[in-house]
Amino acid sequence: MDAFKTLVLGSDQAPISCLPPVFRFLPIDSSPFEKLNYVREKIKEKMLGESIIPIETYGEQKHFYKPCEVSRLLPEFWDILAEAQAERVYLHNLSSHNGRKILSSSFDKIEYDDILSFLGIQQVNTDWYAKCIQSSNLVDGVSEVVYLNLLLFIATNWSSFKSSKVTDIPLIKYVDSDGNLSHFTLDQCSNRYGAKQVVLADPSQPSLCSWLIDWNSEFSCKTSRFFMPEVTQQAILHSLSRHTLLEWLENQVHVTTLDVNYFAQVLCSCIKKYSNLAFIYAHFLYQSFSKLYLSSREVHNLCSSMPLLDSYGHVIECTCRKGVLVPANVSKWADLIVFNPWRNEDYVELGKEYLHRSRNAGQYTGSGKLIEFLKNHVDASDIPHIYPPNAGFSAVDTPLTKDNAFLLLDWIRNLK
């Protein structure tokens, strides 16, 4: 025992990596002679009471503990720690979590499994990983490559982690309603009822990711869907393990993929109570159509169910309208009829807000552009391209102006 301890503890100059081979002197294998096995057990008993196991400190100072105080890590996690250390992440507190000391990385190798088994050194429990990930800042303090390797590590060991405290730590990145980086726990993502859902942009269009993130923030994330940061999504696309990672994200974290069309459908069902968002939604469809993210057919279908803002600032759903009128101050109908005789027939008179220029999600919509868009896709109409109301109007009881006379004749001709 004294000779062994001298080999292990006596050299100040030898690095930790030189120590594991010394443990080969231990009687690891049992003997066919029972009396020698008795001696073997006595040696083992003495070893278990001695502070002879080197732990990982990420420093020059050596520290030794009893075998019962030391635990091992999974090989993949050692790889993550090595990458994090290369990126100057502070790891000196590795042995301060849950009261467990972590075996030196030089010793924690498959080739020494028989030695470590003889000394009774076991794997650390799964909750230790949760403490380490949080305290070592392995989510935000590392590059996206290391972050994805961490997610992949959890994914490949999900059967062990799904019931551990790993599900309680803020692990999944997303962009919040203010455009800032934030995090959900795995538990928050996996609870389908009332959960905040993390989503990815359709990878088929490279510029789509930032587009959807910006617009989702514009709508204050009323959809309860939150996009992963663009840099994270790009890293996933370029990862060699993306199929494994995406499968885990979809099946266990319930991450889904959205294109503009589906995103617009989700938005439409969430903004009906918000007048300002109904107005922004029209800008979103116009800009998405202008940038070719939506086809003419898609935008026409979306506009048919789009809630509209009327002249009183009320949001009118598609089921509550039979027709749409252009705003009075740019119309011919107001000049001829003055009041809106179609109101009782469930025609919506568009609010004047649609005439104004606007900037949303960094996109500029010029004055009058939105009205032209609505004329084409929600059939916002004016005389002479609208069916007459079932009502009289006072203008025909007095001499008409020349312009209104031609307008009335034009209307009659168009109806024929």
Side-chain angles (χ1 to χ4, degrees), residues 4 23-31 36-37 39-44 47 114 118:
F4 182 80
F23 285 78
R24 290 292 181 195
F25 286 108
L26 295 176
I28 298 165
D29 300 321
S30 61
S31 169
L36 291 182
N37 279 329
V39 176
R40 175 177 178 267
E41 289 301 317
K42 284 295 182 181
I43 293 173
K44 179 178 179 179
M47 286 292 173
D114 52 352
F118 175 74

Side-chain angles (χ1 to χ4, degrees), residues 40-58:
R40 175 177 178 267
E41 289 301 317
K42 284 295 182 181
I43 293 173
K44 179 178 179 179
E45 183 180 322
K46 286 179 177 292
M47 286 292 173
L48 296 181
E50 296 287 344
S51 298
I52 55 171
I53 304 299
I55 66 168
E56 188 60 64
T57 63
Y58 288 106

Side-chain angles (χ1 to χ4, degrees), residues 81-275:
L81 292 178
E83 293 171 340
Q85 186 190 26
E87 296 180 1
R88 302 183 181 279
V89 173
Y90 182 83
L91 296 172
H92 291 75
N93 61 345
L94 197 65
S95 291
S96 63
H97 312 307
N98 288 3
R100 300 304 300 172
K101 309 304 177 185
I102 301 303
L103 180 65
S104 168
S105 57
S106 300
F107 205 166
D108 197 356
K109 298 183 183 300
I110 295 176
E111 59 193 280
Y112 301 124
D113 278 356
D114 52 352
I115 299 173
L116 298 172
S117 178
F118 175 74
L119 295 172
I121 299 176
Q122 304 295 322
Q123 290 284 338
V124 75
N125 64 46
T126 51
D127 288 340
W128 180 92
Y129 290 100
K131 291 279 189 182
C132 180
I133 292 168
Q134 275 191 291
S135 67
S136 302
N137 199 18
L138 294 180
V139 175
D140 293 332
V142 296
S143 65
E144 293 301 314
V145 172
V146 179
Y147 170 65
L148 292 188
N149 285 340
L150 175 63
L151 292 186
L152 186 65
F153 167 72
I154 294 172
T156 52
N157 295 281
W158 184 240
S159 59
S160 300
F161 287 128
K162 63 182 179 181
S163 299
S164 73
K165 291 182 179 178
V166 168
T167 61
D168 297 329
I169 63 176
L171 189 66
I172 302 300
K173 296 180 181 181
Y174 72 93
V175 181
D176 67 15
S177 57
D178 295 322
N180 298 320
L181 176 65
S182 194
H183 308 81
F184 286 132
T185 67
L186 291 173
D187 269 350
Q188 286 175 310
C189 295
S190 61
N191 179 12
R192 294 192 176 202
Y193 304 98
K196 305 293 188 181
Q197 188 172 17
V198 178
V199 293
L200 303 171
D202 186 342
S204 62
Q205 294 174 294
S207 60
L208 186 61
C209 186
S210 59
W211 179 265
L212 289 178
I213 290 174
D214 290 343
W215 280 104
N216 200 41
S217 297
E218 193 72 32
F219 287 99
S220 303
C221 303
K222 286 292 187 295
T223 61
S224 293
R225 287 166 172 81
F226 301 83
F227 286 89
M228 274 190 160
E230 183 178 9
V231 64
T232 305
Q233 295 194 46
Q234 292 300 320
I236 291 174
L237 290 179
H238 293 95
S239 171
L240 296 177
S241 303
R242 63 181 175 277
H243 296 300
T244 301
L245 192 55
L246 285 172
E247 184 178 3
W248 176 73
L249 287 172
E250 291 169 3
N251 296 334
Q252 305 301 335
V253 192
H254 306 304
V255 172
T256 59
T257 300
L258 296 183
D259 59 13
V260 176
N261 186 36
Y262 184 39
F263 178 65
Q265 293 177 46
V266 174
L267 273 176
C268 188
S269 64
C270 299
I271 63 172
K272 296 173 182 178
K273 297 179 181 179
Y274 307 96
S275 58

